[in-house]
Short mmCIF file of all heavy atoms in Angstrom, two decimals:
data_model
loop_
_atom_site.label_atom_id
_atom_site.label_comp_id
_atom_site.label_asym_id
_atom_site.label_seq_id
_atom_site.Cartn_x
_atom_site.Cartn_y
_atom_site.Cartn_z
N LYS U 3 -70.96 -38.14 -12.51
CA LYS U 3 -71.29 -39.32 -11.72
C LYS U 3 -72.76 -39.66 -11.78
O LYS U 3 -73.06 -40.89 -11.95
CB LYS U 3 -70.96 -39.08 -10.26
CG LYS U 3 -69.44 -39.20 -9.93
CD LYS U 3 -69.21 -39.09 -8.39
CE LYS U 3 -67.79 -39.17 -8.15
NZ LYS U 3 -67.55 -39.08 -6.73
N ARG U 4 -73.61 -38.69 -11.83
CA ARG U 4 -75.11 -38.94 -11.96
C ARG U 4 -75.38 -39.48 -13.35
O ARG U 4 -76.26 -40.48 -13.41
CB ARG U 4 -75.83 -37.60 -11.73
CG ARG U 4 -77.22 -37.87 -11.75
CD ARG U 4 -78.11 -36.61 -11.37
NE ARG U 4 -79.43 -36.81 -11.22
CZ ARG U 4 -80.30 -36.28 -12.00
NH1 ARG U 4 -80.06 -35.58 -12.93
NH2 ARG U 4 -81.60 -36.62 -11.78
N ILE U 5 -74.76 -39.02 -14.37
CA ILE U 5 -75.05 -39.53 -15.62
C ILE U 5 -74.52 -40.96 -15.76
O ILE U 5 -75.21 -41.80 -16.36
CB ILE U 5 -74.43 -38.52 -16.74
CG1 ILE U 5 -75.14 -37.25 -16.79
CG2 ILE U 5 -74.46 -39.23 -18.11
CD1 ILE U 5 -74.48 -36.19 -17.60
N LEU U 6 -73.28 -41.13 -15.29
CA LEU U 6 -72.80 -42.51 -15.38
C LEU U 6 -73.59 -43.50 -14.53
O LEU U 6 -73.83 -44.56 -14.98
CB LEU U 6 -71.26 -42.51 -14.80
CG LEU U 6 -70.58 -43.79 -14.89
CD1 LEU U 6 -70.59 -44.46 -16.18
CD2 LEU U 6 -69.23 -43.74 -14.25
N ARG U 7 -74.11 -43.04 -13.38
CA ARG U 7 -74.96 -44.00 -12.59
C ARG U 7 -76.36 -44.31 -13.44
O ARG U 7 -76.72 -45.41 -13.37
CB ARG U 7 -75.38 -43.26 -11.32
CG ARG U 7 -76.27 -44.14 -10.42
CD ARG U 7 -76.63 -43.47 -9.14
NE ARG U 7 -77.26 -42.23 -9.19
CZ ARG U 7 -78.62 -42.11 -9.38
NH1 ARG U 7 -79.36 -43.15 -9.60
NH2 ARG U 7 -79.11 -40.88 -9.58
N ILE U 8 -76.78 -43.28 -14.02
CA ILE U 8 -78.06 -43.54 -14.83
C ILE U 8 -77.80 -44.48 -16.04
O ILE U 8 -78.55 -45.43 -16.30
CB ILE U 8 -78.64 -42.21 -15.35
CG1 ILE U 8 -79.21 -41.43 -14.18
CG2 ILE U 8 -79.73 -42.38 -16.42
CD1 ILE U 8 -79.53 -40.00 -14.54
N VAL U 9 -76.64 -44.29 -16.63
CA VAL U 9 -76.26 -45.25 -17.71
C VAL U 9 -76.08 -46.67 -17.22
O VAL U 9 -76.52 -47.55 -17.90
CB VAL U 9 -74.99 -44.72 -18.45
CG1 VAL U 9 -74.42 -45.75 -19.37
CG2 VAL U 9 -75.21 -43.38 -19.27
N LEU U 10 -75.44 -46.79 -16.16
CA LEU U 10 -75.20 -48.07 -15.48
C LEU U 10 -76.60 -48.76 -15.14
O LEU U 10 -76.79 -49.96 -15.41
CB LEU U 10 -74.25 -48.05 -14.32
CG LEU U 10 -72.84 -47.65 -14.58
CD1 LEU U 10 -72.10 -47.37 -13.37
CD2 LEU U 10 -72.17 -48.82 -15.42
N GLU U 11 -77.49 -47.94 -14.57
CA GLU U 11 -78.78 -48.54 -14.26
C GLU U 11 -79.61 -48.93 -15.50
O GLU U 11 -80.20 -49.96 -15.48
CB GLU U 11 -79.54 -47.50 -13.42
CG GLU U 11 -78.99 -47.13 -12.04
CD GLU U 11 -79.14 -48.25 -11.03
OE1 GLU U 11 -79.76 -49.14 -11.29
OE2 GLU U 11 -78.51 -48.12 -10.02
N VAL U 12 -79.56 -48.03 -16.46
CA VAL U 12 -80.22 -48.40 -17.79
C VAL U 12 -79.65 -49.71 -18.36
O VAL U 12 -80.38 -50.55 -18.81
CB VAL U 12 -80.24 -47.28 -18.73
CG1 VAL U 12 -80.66 -47.65 -20.08
CG2 VAL U 12 -81.03 -46.12 -18.21
N LEU U 13 -78.30 -49.85 -18.34
CA LEU U 13 -77.62 -51.08 -18.94
C LEU U 13 -78.02 -52.24 -18.26
O LEU U 13 -78.28 -53.26 -18.70
CB LEU U 13 -76.17 -50.83 -18.98
CG LEU U 13 -75.64 -49.92 -20.06
CD1 LEU U 13 -74.13 -49.67 -19.91
CD2 LEU U 13 -75.92 -50.33 -21.48
N SER U 14 -78.08 -52.13 -16.89
CA SER U 14 -78.54 -53.20 -15.95
C SER U 14 -79.97 -53.63 -16.27
O SER U 14 -80.27 -54.82 -16.41
CB SER U 14 -78.42 -52.85 -14.43
OG SER U 14 -77.09 -52.62 -14.12
N LEU U 15 -80.83 -52.64 -16.45
CA LEU U 15 -82.17 -52.96 -16.79
C LEU U 15 -82.27 -53.65 -18.21
O LEU U 15 -83.06 -54.63 -18.32
CB LEU U 15 -83.00 -51.67 -16.81
CG LEU U 15 -84.49 -51.85 -17.17
CD1 LEU U 15 -85.17 -52.68 -16.03
CD2 LEU U 15 -85.23 -50.51 -17.19
N LEU U 16 -81.51 -53.15 -19.14
CA LEU U 16 -81.51 -53.83 -20.46
C LEU U 16 -80.96 -55.33 -20.41
O LEU U 16 -81.48 -56.11 -21.18
CB LEU U 16 -80.63 -53.03 -21.45
CG LEU U 16 -81.22 -51.66 -21.83
CD1 LEU U 16 -80.26 -50.90 -22.71
CD2 LEU U 16 -82.47 -51.89 -22.58
N VAL U 17 -79.93 -55.54 -19.61
CA VAL U 17 -79.52 -56.86 -19.47
C VAL U 17 -80.62 -57.84 -18.92
O VAL U 17 -80.85 -58.93 -19.36
CB VAL U 17 -78.22 -56.88 -18.47
CG1 VAL U 17 -77.93 -58.37 -18.06
CG2 VAL U 17 -77.03 -56.27 -19.15
N MET U 18 -81.32 -57.28 -17.91
CA MET U 18 -82.46 -58.12 -17.32
C MET U 18 -83.46 -58.32 -18.35
O MET U 18 -84.02 -59.45 -18.49
CB MET U 18 -83.02 -57.43 -16.12
CG MET U 18 -82.27 -57.61 -14.90
SD MET U 18 -83.09 -57.16 -13.35
CE MET U 18 -83.85 -55.61 -13.78
N LEU U 19 -83.96 -57.27 -19.09
CA LEU U 19 -84.91 -57.43 -20.07
C LEU U 19 -84.48 -58.35 -21.24
O LEU U 19 -85.26 -59.09 -21.72
CB LEU U 19 -85.36 -56.01 -20.67
CG LEU U 19 -86.14 -55.03 -19.65
CD1 LEU U 19 -86.32 -53.76 -20.32
CD2 LEU U 19 -87.49 -55.65 -19.26
N GLY U 20 -83.24 -58.26 -21.59
CA GLY U 20 -82.72 -59.14 -22.65
C GLY U 20 -82.70 -60.58 -22.20
O GLY U 20 -83.04 -61.42 -23.07
N ALA U 21 -82.44 -60.80 -20.98
CA ALA U 21 -82.60 -62.27 -20.51
C ALA U 21 -83.99 -62.71 -20.60
O ALA U 21 -84.23 -63.81 -20.94
CB ALA U 21 -82.09 -62.25 -18.99
N ILE U 22 -84.91 -61.86 -20.25
CA ILE U 22 -86.34 -62.33 -20.21
C ILE U 22 -86.82 -62.57 -21.72
O ILE U 22 -87.38 -63.58 -21.98
CB ILE U 22 -87.21 -61.21 -19.58
CG1 ILE U 22 -86.92 -61.22 -18.04
CG2 ILE U 22 -88.66 -61.51 -19.80
CD1 ILE U 22 -87.52 -60.12 -17.30
N VAL U 23 -86.40 -61.54 -22.52
CA VAL U 23 -86.91 -61.73 -23.94
C VAL U 23 -86.22 -62.94 -24.56
O VAL U 23 -86.81 -63.69 -25.39
CB VAL U 23 -86.47 -60.46 -24.78
CG1 VAL U 23 -86.58 -60.63 -26.20
CG2 VAL U 23 -87.32 -59.24 -24.28
#
Side-chain angles (χ1 to χ4, degrees):
K3 284 184 180 181
R4 184 172 188 248
I5 291 170
L6 182 57
R7 183 180 58 81
I8 292 169
V9 167
L10 291 169
E11 294 291 350
V12 168
L13 288 174
S14 296
L15 183 63
L16 289 175
V17 167
M18 282 193 315
L19 292 175
I22 294 168
V23 168

